[in-house]
Amino acid sequence: MARSEISTRERIVSAASALFYADGIRGVNVDAVAAKAGVTKRTLYYHFKSKDDLVAAYLAGRDQPNLALFKQWFDEAEGGLPAKVERIFRNLARSARHPKWKGCGFLRTSAELANMPGHPAIRIGAAHKKKFEDWLRVTFEAAGIAEAAQLARQILLLLDGSFAVVLLHRDPSYMETAGHAAHALTKAALPVRKKRQ
Amino acid sequence: MARSEISTRERIVSAASALFYADGIRGVNVDAVAAKAGVTKRTLYYHFKSKDDLVAAYLAGRDQPNLALFKQWFDEAEGGLPAKVERIFRNLARSARHPKWKGCGFLRTSAELANMPGHPAIRIGAAHKKKFEDWLRVTFEAAGIAEAAQLARQILLLLDGSFAVVLLHRDPSYMETAGHAAHALTKAALPVRKKRQ
DNA sequence: TTGTGTATATTCACTGGTCGGTATACATGA
DNA sequence: TCATGTATACCGACCAGTGAATATACACAA
């Protein structure tokens, strides 16, 4: 193991991440990843046994940071539960306005590799979405929502719908629409307490 | 012009459609399309000036039939507007159970070609989704829904979210969840008439 | 009817280039 | 001396697109 600040392996994953996200899996060749990481291809193949292995590392490296960001957005939002949920969508809309934004890497990878059902990248993507859905469900349960599981799935559907639609239309306002819907569904599922929030 | 039942060009598009949908754009090579269509590659290039041109033809050929199917499902459903909307999702869930189902071809293509913003295929996909959204909006306006445009967008988000999530998890029950959400949002947007539906 | 020109449609063989992955050798530190 | 890690050079398969020739169908003049 090299003792440098960031390991060779990390630099390779980082380069792969940027390229795969920008141009898709099949749109990026291994030489390009090696070049961007500043290593030769042989070195890359020392650390990863195949391109597929590298793809898996790319998504695995995005799992935790992505979830953390959503949770952070939720936590720092003010207002009731519906407002906190909606805030995730509003922040996402802001991200989507950056020119380099290209939707959800997990979703795009699973779409591209849809003909390889058992591909590690797809399993990692599915696990990622499951974690997000579970976090939503637990949060909703804690708020006393009876149909917490169903609501969590609905929010997930709106979120992933946003990724798909905004990627296609390049119009982030769809994310705010999804946020409204998420707000409405959450509010309707909330147990009644008093008239005003 | 050949006088056969189906033209060579149609056979090529049909072959391309099956292959591109199954394996993705970059996962299919032009030789495979030519072979499946029973023509030489040179013939294919007589009818289409490039692979991208063929991709555009693939999606253009799916536009009208896809929309017609959704409208048919909606029309033949019984019950009120929310039930008719929900029926689309239920029928889609049934389609998604077929082993060859691989999500929405428009969405998957736009995800795969996300690094080519002006690609004809993406414009065709965007136009397709826009048509569907417009049809929903007009339908909702006819039902007297004030926020018809917003509701149409929300339904679209749920629909495309279904495609993405079901493709990833291979669990069509998410489509029924989306149908519930669509039902609830439609019902809430409907102008009040009487207590029981 | 027959010959000729022309646009359409199709084939075989090929090219220039890309890509995932590897054989082999070398360096360095424990 | 042995495990770890890096470099150069290469391979075989694949792949989008093309050159040149040929077949088919039809229009029109002799």
Side-chain angles (χ1 to χ4, degrees):
Chain A
M1 305 135 204
R3 285 278 164 267
S4 49
E5 275 297 313
I6 47 172
S7 69
T8 300
R9 189 194 153 92
E10 278 166 345
R11 270 189 301 121
I12 295 170
V13 172
S14 171
S17 195
L19 292 174
F20 284 149
Y21 180 72
D23 297 334
I25 307 306
R26 292 198 248 237
V28 171
N29 63 46
V30 179
D31 295 84
V33 175
K36 187 169 178 103
V39 299
T40 63
K41 191 161 54 164
R42 197 64 189 85
T43 299
L44 185 152
Y45 273 101
Y46 175 79
H47 291 280
F48 302 91
K49 75 177 218 294
S50 67
K51 184 182 182 182
D52 283 343
D53 197 23
L54 187 56
V55 172
Y58 148 55
L59 290 184
R62 288 196 161 226
D63 178 51
Q64 199 275 332
N66 249 26
L67 289 172
L69 190 59
F70 285 164
K71 290 178 188 177
Q72 180 193 324
W73 285 342
F74 178 89
D75 288 338
E76 71 193 14
E78 298 182 357
L81 189 63
K84 289 167 90 70
V85 169
E86 186 172 4
R87 175 65 72 90
I88 293 174
F89 290 87
R90 297 176 84 88
N91 277 306
L92 215 48
R94 201 154 47 83
S95 308
R97 287 191 175 88
H98 280 88
K100 292 174 74 174
W101 186 87
K102 299 255 174 59
C104 170
F106 299 95
L107 254 30
R108 274 179 52 221
T109 302
S110 90
E112 191 174 350
L113 305 182
N115 60 332
M116 314 177 80
H119 196 289
I122 293 176
R123 274 203 295 269
I124 292 169
H128 173 77
K129 295 296 180 183
K130 201 91 195 104
K131 279 187 212 168
F132 180 70
E133 185 189 325
D134 284 348
W135 168 72
L136 281 176
R137 181 179 47 76
V138 169
T139 303
F140 293 150
E141 280 167 355
I145 291 177
E147 301 286 356
Q150 176 167 275
L151 181 60
R153 285 166 66 119
Q154 292 175 347
I155 305 294
L156 179 73
L157 286 160
L158 286 167
L159 185 92
D160 288 342
S162 298
F163 281 123
V165 172
V166 175
L167 183 64
L168 185 57
H169 283 109
R170 293 285 165 179
D171 176 2
S173 75
Y174 277 91
M175 265 164 188
E176 279 152 30
T177 304
H180 292 330
H183 184 112
L185 290 169
T186 305
K187 192 170 174 185
L190 223 40
V192 278
R193 300 250 189 160
K194 37 181 178 177
K195 207 67 185 178
R196 286 244 161 230
Q197 203 249 74
Chain B
M1 309 134 202
R3 286 275 165 270
S4 49
E5 276 296 313
I6 48 171
S7 70
T8 300
R9 191 195 152 91
E10 280 165 344
R11 268 188 301 123
I12 295 170
V13 173
S14 170
S17 195
L19 291 174
F20 285 148
Y21 180 72
D23 297 333
I25 307 305
R26 292 197 248 237
V28 171
N29 63 47
V30 179
D31 295 83
V33 176
K36 188 173 176 97
V39 299
T40 62
K41 188 161 52 167
R42 200 69 187 77
T43 297
L44 185 153
Y45 273 99
Y46 174 79
H47 291 280
F48 302 90
K49 76 176 216 296
S50 66
K51 183 182 182 181
D52 284 342
D53 196 24
L54 187 56
V55 172
Y58 146 56
L59 291 183
R62 288 197 162 225
D63 178 50
Q64 199 275 332
N66 250 27
L67 289 171
L69 190 59
F70 285 164
K71 291 177 187 177
Q72 182 193 323
W73 286 342
F74 178 89
D75 288 337
E76 72 192 14
E78 297 181 358
L81 189 64
K84 288 167 91 71
V85 169
E86 186 171 5
R87 176 65 72 90
I88 294 175
F89 290 86
R90 298 177 84 87
N91 277 306
L92 215 49
R94 202 153 46 82
S95 307
R97 287 191 176 88
H98 281 87
K100 292 175 74 174
W101 187 88
K102 298 254 175 61
C104 170
F106 299 94
L107 255 29
R108 272 179 53 220
T109 302
S110 90
E112 191 175 350
L113 306 182
N115 60 331
M116 315 178 80
H119 195 289
I122 293 175
R123 275 202 294 270
I124 292 170
H128 173 77
K129 296 294 180 185
K130 201 94 195 95
K131 279 187 214 169
F132 180 70
E133 185 188 324
D134 284 348
W135 168 72
L136 281 176
R137 180 179 46 76
V138 168
T139 302
F140 293 151
E141 280 166 357
I145 292 176
E147 301 286 357
Q150 176 167 274
L151 181 60
R153 285 165 66 117
Q154 292 175 347
I155 305 294
L156 179 73
L157 286 160
L158 286 167
L159 186 90
D160 288 342
S162 298
F163 280 123
V165 173
V166 175
L167 184 64
L168 186 56
H169 283 110
R170 293 285 165 177
D171 176 2
S173 75
Y174 277 90
M175 266 164 189
E176 279 152 30
T177 303
H180 293 330
H183 185 111
L185 290 168
T186 305
K187 194 171 174 184
L190 222 41
V192 277
R193 301 250 189 159
K194 39 181 177 175
K195 208 68 183 178
R196 287 248 160 226
Q197 208 246 75

